[in-house]
C-alpha cells in the first residue's frame, strides 16, 4: 500500500469538505482527534498493565511428577498375608 502524499491528502480534504460541509468539518476533526487520543490512552494502559504483570509474577516451582504403575504390575504384586484381615461377620 503506497504512502499518502500531499496531493492525495488535499483530494481527501476536498472530498470531505464537499460531503460534510464547512460547518461540520471542524467538529468531525475534533471528534476524530478525541477518539484517537482515547484509543492511544487505552492501548498504553493495556501495555503498562501487561508489562506490570510480567514483572510482578512469581515463578512457578515445578513439582516432581509421580507416575502410576501399570495395572499389570499392580495385579502381579505379592500380597502381604499379615496385612489382610478377614471380614467380620455381622450378628443380629
Amino acid at each position: 500500500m503506497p504512502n499518502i502524499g500531499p496531493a492525495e491528502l488535499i483530494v481527501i480534504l476536498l472530498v470531505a469538505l464537499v460531503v460534510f460541509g464547512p460547518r461540520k468539518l471542524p467538529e468531525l476533526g475534533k471528534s476524530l482527534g478525541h477518539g484517537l487520543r482515547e484509543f492511544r490512552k487505552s492501548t498504553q494502559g493495556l501495555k503498562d498493565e501487561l508489562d506490570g504483570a510480567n514483572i510482578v509474577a512469581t515463578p512457578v516451582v515445578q513439582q516432581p511428577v509421580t507416575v502410576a504403575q501399570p495395572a499389570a504390575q499392580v495385579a502381579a504384586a505379592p500380597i502381604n498375608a499379615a496385612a489382610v484381615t478377614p471380614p467380620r461377620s455381622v450378628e443380629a
Side-chain angles (χ1 to χ4, degrees):
M1 188 166 147
N3 292 335
I4 297 177
E8 291 89 0
L9 193 58
I10 290 172
V11 171
I12 291 171
L13 289 175
L14 286 175
V15 170
L17 183 64
V18 169
V19 171
F20 296 111
R23 292 186 179 160
K24 196 74 169 174
L25 199 57
E27 185 180 321
L28 287 173
K30 185 188 292 185
S31 64
L32 180 65
H34 182 69
L36 286 173
R37 191 170 29 254
E38 288 295 320
F39 180 74
R40 285 183 185 163
K41 280 183 185 178
S42 63
T43 55
Q44 185 64 37
L46 182 63
K47 188 189 303 183
D48 292 343
E49 184 177 327
L50 289 175
D51 289 342
N54 288 339
I55 293 171
V56 176
T58 58
V60 177
V61 177
Q62 294 288 336
Q63 297 294 329
V65 178
T66 57
V67 179
Q69 292 181 350
Q73 289 180 358
V74 173
I79 299 175
N80 187 357
V84 178
T85 57
R88 295 182 184 172
S89 61
V90 179
E91 294 181 24

